[in-house]
Amino acid sequence: MILASLLVLWRWRADDCMLPWKKVVAACGICSVILFPLGLVFRADGLCFGTWEGAASSIVQYGIFLMALCLSVQALNGVVWYGARHETEWSPWGKWGVMAVISIAVLAWWWHAGSQCSFDFQYRQYPQIVSGQYNLMHTLAHTLLCKGVLSVWPEFQAIVLVQLGLLLSVCFMIVSWAARERMRALIVLGAVLLCLFQFEMVTTVIKDVPYSIFLMALTVGLCSWLLEKRTSALWLIGLGLAGTGSLRYDGAVPFFLTVAALSVHMFHHRAEFRRLGIPVIGGICCWLFAFLVLPFLMDAESGASGTKYAKMAHVVCDIVAEGGKVSDGDMELIEREIMPRDVIMRQYRLYEDSLHPAVSAGYGQKYLHTGLFESWETGMKYGFAWTLSGKGELVRNLFFSVSADNPLLAGKILLLNSQMVWNLPAGNVRDMPQLSLFYGCVLSFLVYGMMKKKAYLIPFVPFYGVVLAIGAAATTYEVRYMLPLELLFPVLLLYSISCAKRADVPKEGEKKEGRLSSGIGACRTGPGGGPGRWGSVPF
């Protein structure tokens, strides 16, 4: 990352729009403390700083990490302004050529890598498709979508082919949008390749993939509508909202946040209500149909997964394990309805051989997966995935009761259990989607600094909605939960470049009096001092 950032700063440096290094170092210093892997700080017997060797190793790694963050933020800013100031006239053959290269690369990669089928689909959704008896453990919309595909070609590869087709369709829309904006082909191609970074996940039959692609389509539609007011963007917004809300239960958070943001925008811009209101109302109708009408039509059973309440039960069990204050009545309910104390203590200590107990609470799978218990029978008897499905009210009451008696302890456990959102693992880059979140936040600050209007932050609403949903619901560290962020970040990068084109950007070699100290907000002027070609768009 350091070498790539230095290369970008050498080739694409925009001196008049550089971010102040003091602010970059200060902001990255705070974020680096949050992001730096806890596994490199704690170990089984305490802090890694217990010896000089351990302290020196951790300090050197942290210094390199901080340097990489600072340089990459400045490089990201350089990419945005370079893309805004350097244009390419796309010929029709050039656009279709890029699309052909992407399609061939994807199909060749798929042929080499093959397909996978997730546990959830193979053992929970596929039996429903075969038997015709449905339940609501997973969204009916995704189960019926897979049934429709399999009715045409009864092979799991057919579902993967549909997923790749949806992803390529959205990528083609991105290329068309970038061609209209006359972005550099190299930047566009790089953004599309970033969308394919988790290709093994994209070629897996799992509900997270189509959900992420529809979120991607929603974001592209929002970007295109805000910047171009194209009618085709309304179709993308409508389809994106329908898929986001109906393909995954967690999608309700980005769905309703986006609907709320667009509603507020329409309230302040009444002229746009007649056009923008159609996809919003259509998305709401699709959500109502998917969760109210469809279960009735398919005579679906409740079949709720215990993972829905696992986070609250996880907090309750960890408070017991860490010696928190628990009343006799609550303890009796916990041992009878959730898990006996001795089982809780055994599961809690599973990670003490690899991490300090203070951070072991970040691993929610210790109470969830059947295979981690002492025996398969014990796991089937106490594992959250199997035992909590009909105990939602009980778990909620216990959570609020025990948390009220131990507010600080409950807050610490909740924070550590959301570690997937804010802390990097001490592993490889493919397991670090938190970087997409970090750089997405950087782009949102850049866009607001350039445009000075909150309306231009609407495309970031689905992005942050995914983060809120993961932080509130996810109990296990699985990269698939963060797949939407890795697909949305390249789209938001191109959107930031388009915003920079429309902002007040100085031409190369020109100086602007009174330019903002942050390096953002200088003005490109046209002949005679008038507004330039990419002046601010009234909004």
Side-chain angles (χ1 to χ4, degrees):
M1 188 178 292
I2 291 173
L3 293 177
S5 301
L6 290 175
L7 179 62
V8 169
L9 291 174
W10 173 49
R11 298 290 297 176
W12 294 353
R13 181 171 177 170
D15 290 329
D16 55 339
C17 291
M18 290 280 286
L19 299 172
W21 279 107
K22 290 183 179 179
K23 294 183 179 179
V24 169
V25 173
C28 290
I30 296 173
C31 294
S32 64
V33 173
I34 299 172
L35 287 170
F36 191 68
L38 290 178
L40 300 178
V41 179
F42 295 102
R43 60 185 182 186
D45 56 349
L47 290 170
C48 292
F49 303 135
T51 62
W52 284 106
E53 295 81 1
S57 175
S58 297
I59 291 172
V60 169
Q61 290 181 81
Y62 175 76
I64 296 174
F65 180 67
L66 176 59
M67 183 188 305
L69 281 187
C70 295
L71 289 174
S72 60
V73 167
Q74 200 68 268
L76 184 63
N77 179 66
V79 170
V80 169
W81 289 106
Y82 176 86
R85 294 179 176 182
H86 295 79
E87 300 177 351
T88 298
E89 292 291 341
W90 288 64
S91 65
W93 287 107
K95 180 170 66 175
W96 288 107
V98 171
M99 293 180 178
V101 170
I102 294 171
S103 301
I104 294 173
V106 166
L107 293 176
W109 200 348
W110 179 35
W111 183 271
H112 173 72
S115 307
Q116 301 180 61
C117 190
S118 67
F119 175 89
D120 282 347
F121 181 80
Q122 187 171 358
Y123 294 102
R124 293 177 177 172
Q125 291 178 274
Y126 186 67
Q128 297 179 44
I129 295 173
V130 174
S131 65
Q133 298 178 352
Y134 300 96
N135 61 55
L136 301 179
M137 178 173 287
H138 300 279
T139 57
L140 273 178
H142 182 255
T143 303
L144 294 177
L145 172 65
C146 294
K147 179 180 179 179
V149 175
L150 292 176
S151 65
V152 178
W153 181 17
E155 296 288 342
F156 291 153
Q157 287 82 355
I159 301 175
V160 176
L161 185 60
V162 170
Q163 291 178 174
L164 290 177
L166 290 173
L167 180 60
L168 285 175
S169 298
V170 179
C171 290
F172 292 167
M173 296 172 191
I174 292 173
V175 173
S176 297
W177 167 42
R180 293 193 302 270
E181 295 286 330
R182 294 193 289 276
M183 295 185 193
R184 299 299 292 264
L186 181 62
I187 294 178
V188 177
L189 188 60
V192 173
L193 290 178
L194 274 178
C195 294
L196 303 174
F197 183 67
Q198 293 288 355
F199 192 76
E200 292 182 2
M201 181 65 65
V202 174
T203 55
T204 301
V205 181
I206 192 168
K207 60 184 178 293
D208 300 83
V209 176
Y211 164 69
S212 302
I213 294 172
F214 275 96
L215 264 171
M216 191 178 174
L218 172 61
T219 304
V220 173
L222 292 173
C223 295
S224 181
W225 172 255
L226 288 174
L227 296 176
E228 301 176 304
K229 297 295 187 288
R230 293 176 64 90
T231 304
S232 59
L234 298 176
W235 287 96
L236 276 177
I237 293 174
L239 291 172
L241 284 173
T244 299
S246 61
L247 289 175
R248 186 174 171 83
Y249 290 118
D250 292 346
V253 178
F255 173 82
F256 283 110
L257 284 178
T258 304
V259 168
L262 291 176
S263 300
V264 171
H265 176 71
M266 289 187 289
F267 178 79
H268 291 286
H269 301 81
R270 304 295 177 86
E272 296 187 15
F273 178 80
R274 294 181 62 183
R275 301 183 68 193
L276 195 55
I278 295 174
V280 172
I281 295 173
I284 294 174
C285 291
C286 288
W287 183 85
L288 292 173
F289 178 80
F291 292 107
L292 296 181
V293 179
L294 198 56
F296 174 76
L297 294 177
M298 303 305 297
D299 194 23
E301 301 175 355
S302 60
S305 171
T307 56
K308 184 177 181 180
Y309 314 107
K311 191 141 192 168
M312 291 182 286
H314 173 96
V315 173
V316 171
C317 290
D318 270 3
I319 288 177
V320 172
E322 296 186 19
K325 179 183 177 182
V326 182
S327 66
D328 294 338
D330 287 344
M331 194 65 231
E332 181 181 353
L333 279 175
I334 292 170
E335 292 204 282
R336 186 176 72 243
E337 301 292 342
I338 298 181
M339 197 177 295
R341 183 190 290 269
D342 59 329
V343 178
I344 291 174
M345 297 305 298
R346 178 192 175 276
Q347 296 304 114
Y348 179 79
R349 294 193 178 99
L350 277 176
Y351 290 92
E352 284 193 347
D353 59 344
S354 59
L355 287 176
H356 191 273
V359 297
S360 66
Y363 292 82
Q365 63 263 40
K366 59 179 177 280
Y367 303 120
L368 188 67
H369 296 316
T370 306
L372 290 178
F373 285 82
E374 188 175 10
S375 65
W376 183 265
E377 292 75 16
T378 305
M380 291 295 295
K381 187 176 181 180
Y382 299 116
F384 288 170
W386 305 99
T387 61
L388 298 183
S389 58
K391 302 178 181 179
E393 184 177 357
L394 172 70
V395 172
R396 279 193 295 268
N397 292 337
L398 278 174
F399 169 76
F400 288 114
S401 175
V402 175
S403 299
D405 293 334
N406 307 270
L408 295 180
L409 189 56
K412 185 208 76 170
I413 294 169
L414 280 172
L415 180 65
L416 292 175
N417 193 229
S418 302
Q419 192 174 328
M420 182 172 57
V421 175
W422 54 267
N423 190 249
L424 293 171
N428 59 61
V429 178
R430 285 188 177 274
D431 295 331
M432 295 183 179
Q434 299 86 353
L435 292 177
S436 296
L437 171 58
F438 171 73
Y439 293 120
C441 295
V442 172
L443 290 177
S444 65
F445 281 104
L446 289 178
V447 168
Y448 184 72
M450 292 183 289
M451 308 307 288
K452 301 299 183 184
K453 293 182 179 178
K454 296 178 182 178
Y456 285 96
L457 295 178
I458 291 179
F460 291 89
V461 172
F463 183 83
Y464 286 116
V466 171
V467 177
L468 292 176
I470 295 170
T475 56
T476 59
Y477 198 111
E478 298 181 53
V479 177
R480 64 186 178 95
Y481 294 138
M482 303 281 275
L483 179 63
L485 302 186
E486 301 201 64
L487 292 182
L488 296 185
F489 168 70
V491 179
L492 296 175
L493 174 60
L494 298 180
Y495 173 69
S496 302
I497 293 174
S498 296
C499 288
K501 286 177 176 290
R502 288 159 172 79
D504 295 331
V505 187
K507 290 181 178 179
E508 294 290 343
E510 288 187 353
K511 291 185 178 180
K512 170 75 177 176
E513 295 296 327
R515 185 170 63 85
L516 296 179
S517 61
S518 65
I520 299 175
C523 181
R524 171 181 285 183
T525 57
R533 185 173 176 277
W534 293 106
S536 297
V537 178
F539 199 68

